[in-house]
Amino acid sequence: MGWTEERVEILKKLWQDGLSASQIAKQLGGVTRNAVIGKVHRLGLSGRAAPSKPARPAFKAPRPAPRAAAPAAPRRIAQPLAIARPAPEPVRYVDEAPGTATVLTLGAHMCKWPIGDPASEEFTFCGRRASDSPYCMEHQRVAYQPSQTGKKKATAAELARSLRRYL
């Protein structure tokens, strides 16, 4: 539906009366809120009455009357209650035989080096004592290899020779 002279006059009147664009669109019918806003801007209608008020008044809860300040009683600091907690079980390190710790028995300072296939029933962890690393000294040497700074860089011919087996 297009903007006829009659519809434009109704739009101007409703806009000056302070109706919202949504309300005007409903009254005109066949146009959207955005179409009303666009037409208002194209017509240059800016000065309008105060915006419409909602039909029902907003509910405001009554404020409580201010109380007279009563003398404050001295505050007592509550003493913390002593909660009886069971003593933690001591961490039992597996004997020097690796491979006897399971996921359930693995502690914080135990070697977490996996032994076996994780899908099998026989999968375990090393379980020996570990200090600053997640692994015992033996597995730490395997896991953390020192960088080889003294090694010479391979030449182009050596790289080509090593790649031939993959081609």
Side-chain angles (χ1 to χ4, degrees):
M1 189 173 265
W3 289 103
T4 63
E5 287 294 322
E6 179 186 333
R7 290 171 62 89
V8 171
E9 291 303 318
I10 295 171
L11 167 69
K12 287 180 182 179
K13 181 191 174 305
L14 295 175
W15 185 258
Q16 289 301 322
D17 290 345
L19 270 66
S20 70
S22 298
Q23 293 168 331
I24 295 172
K26 280 183 186 176
Q27 284 195 10
L28 288 175
V31 293
T32 63
R33 171 186 164 275
N34 287 339
V36 170
I37 292 171
K39 190 64 173 177
V40 165
H41 285 290
R42 285 190 299 276
L43 292 172
L45 303 176
S46 60
R48 58 184 281 169
S52 63
K53 302 287 183 200
R56 57 188 163 104
F59 174 76
K60 291 186 179 178
R63 290 187 178 177
R67 297 186 302 160
R75 296 183 116 192
R76 294 189 332 183
I77 300 173
Q79 297 294 328
L81 298 175
I83 299 173
R85 294 184 182 148
E89 274 189 43
V91 177
R92 295 188 183 116
Y93 292 99
V94 180
D95 294 331
E96 292 300 315
T100 53
T102 65
V103 172
L104 299 175
T105 61
L106 199 60
H109 297 287
M110 295 172 75
C111 179
K112 295 164 183 67
W113 187 267
I115 298 174
D117 182 17
S120 72
E121 291 286 325
E122 293 83 31
F123 178 71
T124 58
F125 294 93
C126 173
R128 287 188 274 187
R129 181 180 291 270
S131 56
D132 295 336
S133 169
Y135 308 118
C136 63
M137 291 304 288
E138 178 185 340
H139 291 122
Q140 192 172 355
R141 280 187 230 113
V142 177
Y144 304 113
Q145 294 287 320
S147 62
Q148 298 175 355
T149 56
K151 189 176 180 181
K152 65 175 186 171
K153 292 191 176 186
T155 64
E158 291 171 338
L159 287 174
R161 189 175 346 114
S162 65
L163 289 175
R164 277 190 210 129
R165 66 178 136 175
Y166 297 110
L167 298 176

